[in-house]
Amino acid sequence: MSHTAPKPPIFEMVALGALTLLAALTLCKPCHASELPPKIGDTSLVWVEDNGGGIVDDFVALRNLWERDHTKVVIAGECSSACTLYTALPTMCVKEDATLNFHAPFILLADHTQAYDDNYTAWFTRQYPKAIQEWIADRGGLTHEWLTLKGSQLKRLLRICD
């Protein structure tokens, strides 16, 4: 069975207010106790913490929105699967103790089996910063097995939050 690689979504967010509210309610926390949390409608800071991933298009849409709005994104705790796409944001930083978990994207079939596609995986991998792409390639590429990035390797490849 052949699958066509999905094209990156190119669209304007129609429900910007609803999406901002959803992001604020599910992903936002202050960076430090001394900082105020983002206000509804204020996308200047987003805290992504212990996020297990989800539907790729949803994460790409939020990433594109945050990139357009120059939103500062802080990744803390575990960030897995589609969540790792946020590493491509120019205003993203990671907390020192963050853990990033990568795997190949899959399409869930009607019988609940996971189907992998080389073209989709290649597109997905190209969404990461070059340093992450190289790190993934050095480990044999994305597969159904998890690749974990943390500690000193994380500090070498991504910007650590102040």
Side-chain angles (χ1 to χ4, degrees):
M1 179 181 221
S2 169
H3 298 283
T4 305
K7 294 185 175 39
I10 300 173
F11 58 88
E12 245 339 275
M13 298 303 300
V14 175
L16 177 59
L19 187 59
T20 301
L21 175 60
L22 175 64
L25 293 176
T26 60
L27 301 174
C28 300
K29 292 185 180 179
C31 276
H32 299 89
S34 63
E35 295 179 336
L36 294 173
K39 298 179 180 116
I40 301 298
D42 176 8
T43 59
S44 62
L45 171 67
V46 175
W47 182 281
V48 179
E49 183 174 26
D50 297 329
N51 188 304
I55 298 170
V56 170
D57 285 348
D58 294 344
F59 282 77
V60 170
L62 265 178
R63 184 195 65 191
N64 292 345
L65 175 70
W66 292 339
E67 183 170 22
R68 184 194 71 194
D69 293 344
H70 307 287
T71 302
K72 180 179 179 184
V73 175
V74 176
I75 297 176
E78 287 205 20
C79 173
S80 301
S81 195
C83 174
T84 61
L85 293 171
Y86 298 149
T87 61
L89 288 164
T91 56
M92 181 278 318
C93 66
V94 295
K95 299 299 281 182
E96 273 189 55
D97 60 349
T99 300
L100 304 179
N101 298 303
F102 301 83
H103 69 88
F106 57 85
I107 300 163
L108 193 60
L109 302 177
D111 65 357
H112 300 287
T113 59
Q114 297 173 351
Y116 295 87
D117 179 84
D118 292 340
N119 291 323
Y120 188 28
T121 300
W123 173 85
F124 193 84
T125 303
R126 285 191 306 272
Q127 302 309 299
Y128 294 118
K130 290 290 183 203
I132 298 292
Q133 291 180 38
E134 292 169 4
W135 179 84
I136 289 170
D138 289 347
R139 282 148 188 80
L142 294 176
T143 68
H144 68 282
E145 298 287 330
W146 290 101
L147 294 176
T148 298
L149 178 61
K150 63 182 179 179
S152 61
Q153 289 182 324
L154 178 78
K155 292 175 187 176
R156 260 196 334 273
L157 298 177
L158 295 170
R159 189 167 60 87
I160 302 300
C161 302
D162 300 330

